[in-house]
PDB file of all heavy atoms in Angstrom:
ATOM      1  N   LEU A  20      16.822 -19.559  63.095  1.00 87.00           N
ATOM      2  CA  LEU A  20      15.871 -20.435  62.392  1.00 87.00           C
ATOM      3  C   LEU A  20      16.307 -20.555  61.002  1.00 87.00           C
ATOM      4  O   LEU A  20      16.455 -21.578  60.480  1.00 87.00           O
ATOM      5  CB  LEU A  20      14.498 -19.916  62.567  1.00 87.00           C
ATOM      6  CG  LEU A  20      13.368 -20.763  61.943  1.00 87.00           C
ATOM      7  CD1 LEU A  20      13.412 -22.185  62.361  1.00 87.00           C
ATOM      8  CD2 LEU A  20      11.961 -20.025  62.124  1.00 87.00           C
ATOM      9  N   THR A  21      16.454 -19.422  60.427  1.00 90.00           N
ATOM     10  CA  THR A  21      17.012 -19.385  59.015  1.00 90.00           C
ATOM     11  C   THR A  21      18.481 -19.691  59.177  1.00 90.00           C
ATOM     12  O   THR A  21      19.215 -18.860  59.761  1.00 90.00           O
ATOM     13  CB  THR A  21      16.796 -18.170  58.270  1.00 90.00           C
ATOM     14  OG1 THR A  21      15.455 -17.812  58.241  1.00 90.00           O
ATOM     15  CG2 THR A  21      17.420 -18.062  56.915  1.00 90.00           C
ATOM     16  N   LYS A  22      19.109 -20.766  58.636  1.00 90.00           N
ATOM     17  CA  LYS A  22      20.326 -21.218  58.838  1.00 90.00           C
ATOM     18  C   LYS A  22      21.092 -21.564  57.682  1.00 90.00           C
ATOM     19  O   LYS A  22      20.612 -22.372  56.891  1.00 90.00           O
ATOM     20  CB  LYS A  22      20.292 -22.461  59.846  1.00 90.00           C
ATOM     21  CG  LYS A  22      21.704 -22.912  60.266  1.00 90.00           C
ATOM     22  CD  LYS A  22      21.536 -24.090  61.223  1.00 90.00           C
ATOM     23  CE  LYS A  22      22.766 -24.806  61.472  1.00 90.00           C
ATOM     24  NZ  LYS A  22      23.728 -24.054  62.423  1.00 90.00           N
ATOM     25  N   HIS A  23      22.284 -21.039  57.331  1.00 91.00           N
ATOM     26  CA  HIS A  23      23.087 -21.370  56.275  1.00 91.00           C
ATOM     27  C   HIS A  23      23.641 -22.818  56.380  1.00 91.00           C
ATOM     28  O   HIS A  23      23.899 -23.341  57.509  1.00 91.00           O
ATOM     29  CB  HIS A  23      24.245 -20.415  56.136  1.00 91.00           C
ATOM     30  CG  HIS A  23      25.289 -20.735  55.094  1.00 91.00           C
ATOM     31  ND1 HIS A  23      24.851 -20.727  53.728  1.00 91.00           N
ATOM     32  CD2 HIS A  23      26.563 -21.138  55.114  1.00 91.00           C
ATOM     33  CE1 HIS A  23      25.917 -20.926  53.012  1.00 91.00           C
ATOM     34  NE2 HIS A  23      26.949 -21.209  53.905  1.00 91.00           N
ATOM     35  N   PHE A  24      23.724 -23.461  55.244  1.00 95.00           N
ATOM     36  CA  PHE A  24      24.211 -24.839  55.231  1.00 95.00           C
ATOM     37  C   PHE A  24      25.722 -24.793  55.455  1.00 95.00           C
ATOM     38  O   PHE A  24      26.413 -25.112  54.449  1.00 95.00           O
ATOM     39  CB  PHE A  24      23.761 -25.458  53.886  1.00 95.00           C
ATOM     40  CG  PHE A  24      24.041 -26.929  53.742  1.00 95.00           C
ATOM     41  CD1 PHE A  24      24.481 -27.705  54.862  1.00 95.00           C
ATOM     42  CD2 PHE A  24      24.025 -27.499  52.497  1.00 95.00           C
ATOM     43  CE1 PHE A  24      24.667 -29.038  54.690  1.00 95.00           C
ATOM     44  CE2 PHE A  24      24.286 -28.934  52.349  1.00 95.00           C
ATOM     45  CZ  PHE A  24      24.722 -29.648  53.427  1.00 95.00           C
ATOM     46  N   ARG A  25      26.057 -24.612  56.651  1.00 96.00           N
ATOM     47  CA  ARG A  25      27.586 -24.442  56.889  1.00 96.00           C
ATOM     48  C   ARG A  25      28.197 -25.807  56.943  1.00 96.00           C
ATOM     49  O   ARG A  25      29.490 -25.874  56.707  1.00 96.00           O
ATOM     50  CB  ARG A  25      27.874 -23.785  58.261  1.00 96.00           C
ATOM     51  CG  ARG A  25      27.260 -22.384  58.313  1.00 96.00           C
ATOM     52  CD  ARG A  25      27.616 -21.680  59.600  1.00 96.00           C
ATOM     53  NE  ARG A  25      26.878 -20.335  59.663  1.00 96.00           N
ATOM     54  CZ  ARG A  25      25.836 -20.144  60.354  1.00 96.00           C
ATOM     55  NH1 ARG A  25      25.173 -21.139  60.982  1.00 96.00           N
ATOM     56  NH2 ARG A  25      25.253 -19.052  60.339  1.00 96.00           N
ATOM     57  N   ALA A  26      27.593 -26.885  57.201  1.00 97.00           N
ATOM     58  CA  ALA A  26      28.207 -28.189  57.330  1.00 97.00           C
ATOM     59  C   ALA A  26      28.938 -28.657  56.114  1.00 97.00           C
ATOM     60  O   ALA A  26      29.932 -29.249  56.165  1.00 97.00           O
ATOM     61  CB  ALA A  26      27.270 -29.283  57.750  1.00 97.00           C
ATOM     62  N   LEU A  27      28.384 -28.190  54.936  1.00 97.00           N
ATOM     63  CA  LEU A  27      28.966 -28.674  53.575  1.00 97.00           C
ATOM     64  C   LEU A  27      30.377 -28.118  53.427  1.00 97.00           C
ATOM     65  O   LEU A  27      31.307 -28.888  53.058  1.00 97.00           O
ATOM     66  CB  LEU A  27      28.090 -28.302  52.571  1.00 97.00           C
ATOM     67  CG  LEU A  27      28.420 -28.899  51.158  1.00 97.00           C
ATOM     68  CD1 LEU A  27      28.403 -30.422  51.197  1.00 97.00           C
ATOM     69  CD2 LEU A  27      27.538 -28.371  50.037  1.00 97.00           C
ATOM     70  N   ARG A  28      30.615 -26.932  53.910  1.00 97.00           N
ATOM     71  CA  ARG A  28      31.948 -26.408  53.744  1.00 97.00           C
ATOM     72  C   ARG A  28      32.954 -26.896  54.723  1.00 97.00           C
ATOM     73  O   ARG A  28      34.156 -26.880  54.586  1.00 97.00           O
ATOM     74  CB  ARG A  28      31.894 -24.902  54.099  1.00 97.00           C
ATOM     75  CG  ARG A  28      31.368 -24.399  55.391  1.00 97.00           C
ATOM     76  CD  ARG A  28      31.889 -23.062  55.745  1.00 97.00           C
ATOM     77  NE  ARG A  28      31.234 -22.035  54.760  1.00 97.00           N
ATOM     78  CZ  ARG A  28      31.337 -20.682  55.150  1.00 97.00           C
ATOM     79  NH1 ARG A  28      31.880 -20.219  56.192  1.00 97.00           N
ATOM     80  NH2 ARG A  28      30.830 -19.836  54.320  1.00 97.00           N
ATOM     81  N   VAL A  29      32.503 -27.722  55.685  1.00 97.00           N
ATOM     82  CA  VAL A  29      33.435 -28.478  56.643  1.00 97.00           C
ATOM     83  C   VAL A  29      33.528 -29.907  56.148  1.00 97.00           C
ATOM     84  O   VAL A  29      34.669 -30.456  56.034  1.00 97.00           O
ATOM     85  CB  VAL A  29      32.834 -28.455  58.104  1.00 97.00           C
ATOM     86  CG1 VAL A  29      33.896 -29.013  59.060  1.00 97.00           C
ATOM     87  CG2 VAL A  29      32.484 -27.140  58.577  1.00 97.00           C
ATOM     88  N   TRP A  30      32.480 -30.493  55.871  1.00 98.00           N
ATOM     89  CA  TRP A  30      32.336 -31.918  55.334  1.00 98.00           C
ATOM     90  C   TRP A  30      33.129 -32.152  54.180  1.00 98.00           C
ATOM     91  O   TRP A  30      33.876 -33.014  53.939  1.00 98.00           O
ATOM     92  CB  TRP A  30      30.895 -32.312  55.209  1.00 98.00           C
ATOM     93  CG  TRP A  30      30.663 -33.714  54.792  1.00 98.00           C
ATOM     94  CD1 TRP A  30      30.570 -34.792  55.528  1.00 98.00           C
ATOM     95  CD2 TRP A  30      30.350 -34.227  53.398  1.00 98.00           C
ATOM     96  NE1 TRP A  30      30.298 -35.903  54.759  1.00 98.00           N
ATOM     97  CE2 TRP A  30      30.183 -35.487  53.468  1.00 98.00           C
ATOM     98  CE3 TRP A  30      30.275 -33.472  52.168  1.00 98.00           C
ATOM     99  CZ2 TRP A  30      29.849 -36.303  52.338  1.00 98.00           C
ATOM    100  CZ3 TRP A  30      30.079 -34.288  51.099  1.00 98.00           C
ATOM    101  CH2 TRP A  30      29.820 -35.663  51.133  1.00 98.00           C
ATOM    102  N   LEU A  31      32.933 -31.264  53.104  1.00 98.00           N
ATOM    103  CA  LEU A  31      33.560 -31.561  51.728  1.00 98.00           C
ATOM    104  C   LEU A  31      35.055 -31.488  51.865  1.00 98.00           C
ATOM    105  O   LEU A  31      35.752 -32.467  51.457  1.00 98.00           O
ATOM    106  CB  LEU A  31      33.081 -30.546  50.632  1.00 98.00           C
ATOM    107  CG  LEU A  31      33.603 -30.710  49.253  1.00 98.00           C
ATOM    108  CD1 LEU A  31      33.119 -32.075  48.817  1.00 98.00           C
ATOM    109  CD2 LEU A  31      33.138 -29.699  48.348  1.00 98.00           C
ATOM    110  N   PRO A  32      35.686 -30.457  52.345  1.00 97.00           N
ATOM    111  CA  PRO A  32      37.188 -30.587  52.404  1.00 97.00           C
ATOM    112  C   PRO A  32      37.750 -31.646  53.371  1.00 97.00           C
ATOM    113  O   PRO A  32      38.795 -32.255  53.087  1.00 97.00           O
ATOM    114  CB  PRO A  32      37.513 -29.286  53.048  1.00 97.00           C
ATOM    115  CG  PRO A  32      36.318 -28.646  53.588  1.00 97.00           C
ATOM    116  CD  PRO A  32      35.184 -29.217  52.848  1.00 97.00           C
ATOM    117  N   LEU A  33      37.072 -31.983  54.486  1.00 97.00           N
ATOM    118  CA  LEU A  33      37.476 -33.111  55.335  1.00 97.00           C
ATOM    119  C   LEU A  33      37.584 -34.345  54.581  1.00 97.00           C
ATOM    120  O   LEU A  33      38.485 -35.186  54.817  1.00 97.00           O
ATOM    121  CB  LEU A  33      36.562 -33.181  56.636  1.00 97.00           C
ATOM    122  CG  LEU A  33      37.145 -32.404  57.848  1.00 97.00           C
ATOM    123  CD1 LEU A  33      35.980 -32.502  58.973  1.00 97.00           C
ATOM    124  CD2 LEU A  33      38.499 -32.843  58.367  1.00 97.00           C
ATOM    125  N   LEU A  34      36.463 -34.709  53.938  1.00 98.00           N
ATOM    126  CA  LEU A  34      36.364 -35.915  53.162  1.00 98.00           C
ATOM    127  C   LEU A  34      37.178 -35.913  51.898  1.00 98.00           C
ATOM    128  O   LEU A  34      37.740 -37.023  51.578  1.00 98.00           O
ATOM    129  CB  LEU A  34      34.950 -36.311  53.042  1.00 98.00           C
ATOM    130  CG  LEU A  34      34.316 -37.108  54.132  1.00 98.00           C
ATOM    131  CD1 LEU A  34      34.033 -36.101  55.258  1.00 98.00           C
ATOM    132  CD2 LEU A  34      33.062 -37.829  53.695  1.00 98.00           C
ATOM    133  N   LEU A  35      37.367 -34.855  51.453  1.00 97.00           N
ATOM    134  CA  LEU A  35      38.294 -34.765  50.133  1.00 97.00           C
ATOM    135  C   LEU A  35      39.704 -34.920  50.351  1.00 97.00           C
ATOM    136  O   LEU A  35      40.323 -35.550  49.547  1.00 97.00           O
ATOM    137  CB  LEU A  35      37.913 -33.333  49.416  1.00 97.00           C
ATOM    138  CG  LEU A  35      38.581 -33.110  48.113  1.00 97.00           C
ATOM    139  CD1 LEU A  35      38.114 -34.084  47.039  1.00 97.00           C
ATOM    140  CD2 LEU A  35      38.342 -31.680  47.582  1.00 97.00           C
ATOM    141  N   HIS A  36      40.121 -34.238  51.402  1.00 97.00           N
ATOM    142  CA  HIS A  36      41.537 -34.209  51.695  1.00 97.00           C
ATOM    143  C   HIS A  36      41.839 -35.164  52.846  1.00 97.00           C
ATOM    144  O   HIS A  36      43.156 -35.696  52.920  1.00 97.00           O
ATOM    145  CB  HIS A  36      41.961 -32.906  52.095  1.00 97.00           C
ATOM    146  CG  HIS A  36      41.688 -31.838  51.168  1.00 97.00           C
ATOM    147  ND1 HIS A  36      42.325 -31.748  49.848  1.00 97.00           N
ATOM    148  CD2 HIS A  36      40.970 -30.596  51.198  1.00 97.00           C
ATOM    149  CE1 HIS A  36      41.941 -30.739  49.195  1.00 97.00           C
ATOM    150  NE2 HIS A  36      41.269 -30.019  49.950  1.00 97.00           N
ATOM    151  N   GLY A  37      41.042 -35.502  53.740  1.00 97.00           N
ATOM    152  CA  GLY A  37      41.310 -36.389  54.902  1.00 97.00           C
ATOM    153  C   GLY A  37      41.927 -35.580  55.903  1.00 97.00           C
ATOM    154  O   GLY A  37      42.155 -34.309  55.698  1.00 97.00           O
ATOM    155  N   GLU A  38      42.091 -36.029  57.154  1.00 97.00           N
ATOM    156  CA  GLU A  38      42.619 -35.287  58.204  1.00 97.00           C
ATOM    157  C   GLU A  38      44.039 -34.981  58.208  1.00 97.00           C
ATOM    158  O   GLU A  38      44.476 -33.928  58.718  1.00 97.00           O
ATOM    159  CB  GLU A  38      42.401 -36.074  59.605  1.00 97.00           C
ATOM    160  CG  GLU A  38      41.015 -36.224  59.955  1.00 97.00           C
ATOM    161  CD  GLU A  38      40.713 -37.114  61.317  1.00 97.00           C
ATOM    162  OE1 GLU A  38      41.833 -37.627  61.700  1.00 97.00           O
ATOM    163  OE2 GLU A  38      39.714 -37.016  61.800  1.00 97.00           O
ATOM    164  N   GLU A  39      44.833 -35.803  57.499  1.00 98.00           N
ATOM    165  CA  GLU A  39      46.296 -35.508  57.697  1.00 98.00           C
ATOM    166  C   GLU A  39      46.820 -34.238  57.136  1.00 98.00           C
ATOM    167  O   GLU A  39      47.738 -33.610  57.870  1.00 98.00           O
ATOM    168  CB  GLU A  39      46.973 -36.643  57.021  1.00 98.00           C
ATOM    169  CG  GLU A  39      47.031 -38.000  57.786  1.00 98.00           C
ATOM    170  CD  GLU A  39      47.296 -37.820  59.325  1.00 98.00           C
ATOM    171  OE1 GLU A  39      48.391 -37.143  59.634  1.00 98.00           O
ATOM    172  OE2 GLU A  39      46.670 -38.221  60.236  1.00 98.00           O
ATOM    173  N   PRO A  40      46.435 -33.682  56.047  1.00 98.00           N
ATOM    174  CA  PRO A  40      46.848 -32.340  55.610  1.00 98.00           C
ATOM    175  C   PRO A  40      46.468 -31.318  56.592  1.00 98.00           C
ATOM    176  O   PRO A  40      47.340 -30.336  56.783  1.00 98.00           O
ATOM    177  CB  PRO A  40      46.108 -32.126  54.285  1.00 98.00           C
ATOM    178  CG  PRO A  40      45.848 -33.390  53.791  1.00 98.00           C
ATOM    179  CD  PRO A  40      45.479 -34.290  54.968  1.00 98.00           C
ATOM    180  N   PHE A  41      45.503 -31.314  57.416  1.00 97.00           N
ATOM    181  CA  PHE A  41      45.041 -30.439  58.372  1.00 97.00           C
ATOM    182  C   PHE A  41      46.072 -30.570  59.489  1.00 97.00           C
ATOM    183  O   PHE A  41      46.548 -29.398  60.072  1.00 97.00           O
ATOM    184  CB  PHE A  41      43.687 -30.651  58.910  1.00 97.00           C
ATOM    185  CG  PHE A  41      42.654 -30.268  57.920  1.00 97.00           C
ATOM    186  CD1 PHE A  41      42.086 -31.305  56.994  1.00 97.00           C
ATOM    187  CD2 PHE A  41      42.041 -29.050  57.684  1.00 97.00           C
ATOM    188  CE1 PHE A  41      41.142 -31.105  56.020  1.00 97.00           C
ATOM    189  CE2 PHE A  41      41.190 -28.804  56.802  1.00 97.00           C
ATOM    190  CZ  PHE A  41      40.740 -29.683  55.877  1.00 97.00           C
ATOM    191  N   ARG A  42      46.418 -31.795  59.972  1.00 98.00           N
ATOM    192  CA  ARG A  42      47.291 -31.892  60.996  1.00 98.00           C
ATOM    193  C   ARG A  42      48.687 -31.341  60.552  1.00 98.00           C
ATOM    194  O   ARG A  42      49.463 -30.721  61.393  1.00 98.00           O
ATOM    195  CB  ARG A  42      47.434 -33.378  61.396  1.00 98.00           C
ATOM    196  CG  ARG A  42      46.321 -33.868  61.963  1.00 98.00           C
ATOM    197  CD  ARG A  42      46.612 -35.309  62.658  1.00 98.00           C
ATOM    198  NE  ARG A  42      45.511 -35.856  63.510  1.00 98.00           N
ATOM    199  CZ  ARG A  42      44.561 -36.746  62.970  1.00 98.00           C
ATOM    200  NH1 ARG A  42      44.715 -37.130  61.701  1.00 98.00           N
ATOM    201  NH2 ARG A  42      43.593 -37.113  63.733  1.00 98.00           N
ATOM    202  N   ALA A  43      49.108 -31.663  59.430  1.00 98.00           N
ATOM    203  CA  ALA A  43      50.389 -31.241  58.918  1.00 98.00           C
ATOM    204  C   ALA A  43      50.507 -29.641  58.977  1.00 98.00           C
ATOM    205  O   ALA A  43      51.471 -28.994  59.348  1.00 98.00           O
ATOM    206  CB  ALA A  43      50.707 -31.733  57.508  1.00 98.00           C
ATOM    207  N   CYS A  44      49.415 -28.971  58.438  1.00 97.00           N
ATOM    208  CA  CYS A  44      49.409 -27.557  58.402  1.00 97.00           C
ATOM    209  C   CYS A  44      49.530 -26.950  59.757  1.00 97.00           C
ATOM    210  O   CYS A  44      50.103 -26.018  60.026  1.00 97.00           O
ATOM    211  CB  CYS A  44      48.079 -27.101  57.673  1.00 97.00           C
ATOM    212  SG  CYS A  44      48.227 -25.472  56.814  1.00 97.00           S
ATOM    213  N   LEU A  45      48.782 -27.531  60.877  1.00 98.00           N
ATOM    214  CA  LEU A  45      48.836 -27.038  62.153  1.00 98.00           C
ATOM    215  C   LEU A  45      50.221 -27.184  62.718  1.00 98.00           C
ATOM    216  O   LEU A  45      50.761 -26.351  63.478  1.00 98.00           O
ATOM    217  CB  LEU A  45      47.792 -27.773  63.016  1.00 98.00           C
ATOM    218  CG  LEU A  45      46.363 -27.423  62.713  1.00 98.00           C
ATOM    219  CD1 LEU A  45      45.390 -28.461  63.554  1.00 98.00           C
ATOM    220  CD2 LEU A  45      45.969 -26.066  63.068  1.00 98.00           C
ATOM    221  N   ARG A  46      50.790 -28.210  62.559  1.00 98.00           N
ATOM    222  CA  ARG A  46      52.258 -28.533  62.973  1.00 98.00           C
ATOM    223  C   ARG A  46      53.063 -27.604  62.419  1.00 98.00           C
ATOM    224  O   ARG A  46      54.075 -26.945  63.085  1.00 98.00           O
ATOM    225  CB  ARG A  46      52.656 -29.906  62.648  1.00 98.00           C
ATOM    226  CG  ARG A  46      51.984 -30.974  63.479  1.00 98.00           C
ATOM    227  CD  ARG A  46      52.679 -32.395  63.298  1.00 98.00           C
ATOM    228  NE  ARG A  46      52.090 -33.345  64.280  1.00 98.00           N
ATOM    229  CZ  ARG A  46      51.234 -34.280  63.963  1.00 98.00           C
ATOM    230  NH1 ARG A  46      50.797 -34.423  62.631  1.00 98.00           N
ATOM    231  NH2 ARG A  46      50.668 -35.139  64.875  1.00 98.00           N
ATOM    232  N   GLU A  47      52.958 -27.342  61.017  1.00 98.00           N
ATOM    233  CA  GLU A  47      53.949 -26.362  60.359  1.00 98.00           C
ATOM    234  C   GLU A  47      53.792 -24.911  61.078  1.00 98.00           C
ATOM    235  O   GLU A  47      54.777 -24.219  61.289  1.00 98.00           O
ATOM    236  CB  GLU A  47      53.451 -26.281  58.920  1.00 98.00           C
ATOM    237  CG  GLU A  47      54.368 -25.215  58.138  1.00 98.00           C
ATOM    238  CD  GLU A  47      53.638 -24.861  56.842  1.00 98.00           C
ATOM    239  OE1 GLU A  47      52.433 -24.992  56.635  1.00 98.00           O
ATOM    240  OE2 GLU A  47      54.420 -24.351  55.941  1.00 98.00           O
ATOM    241  N   LYS A  48      52.508 -24.544  61.308  1.00 98.00           N
ATOM    242  CA  LYS A  48      52.426 -23.263  61.886  1.00 98.00           C
ATOM    243  C   LYS A  48      53.015 -23.102  63.365  1.00 98.00           C
ATOM    244  O   LYS A  48      53.504 -21.995  63.685  1.00 98.00           O
ATOM    245  CB  LYS A  48      50.883 -22.835  61.901  1.00 98.00           C
ATOM    246  CG  LYS A  48      50.158 -23.093  60.606  1.00 98.00           C
ATOM    247  CD  LYS A  48      50.881 -22.401  59.468  1.00 98.00           C
ATOM    248  CE  LYS A  48      50.077 -22.954  58.146  1.00 98.00           C
ATOM    249  NZ  LYS A  48      51.065 -22.765  56.883  1.00 98.00           N
TER     250      LYS A  48
END
């Protein structure tokens, strides 16, 4: 019921950086 606002820590980097850096990082690993 008491819930941390976790969405912001996902939303901000996704919109700030876009998806492509995440894809590149996964491919690199």
Side-chain angles (χ1 to χ4, degrees):
L20 179 56
T21 301
K22 182 180 171 69
H23 177 63
F24 185 19
R25 299 184 184 100
L27 188 60
R28 60 162 60 173
V29 190
W30 179 85
L31 184 63
L33 265 177
L34 273 71
L35 181 66
H36 300 300
E38 292 181 344
E39 285 311 307
F41 292 91
R42 290 193 175 96
C44 206
L45 289 170
R46 288 189 175 102
E47 178 197 21
K48 307 318 169 197

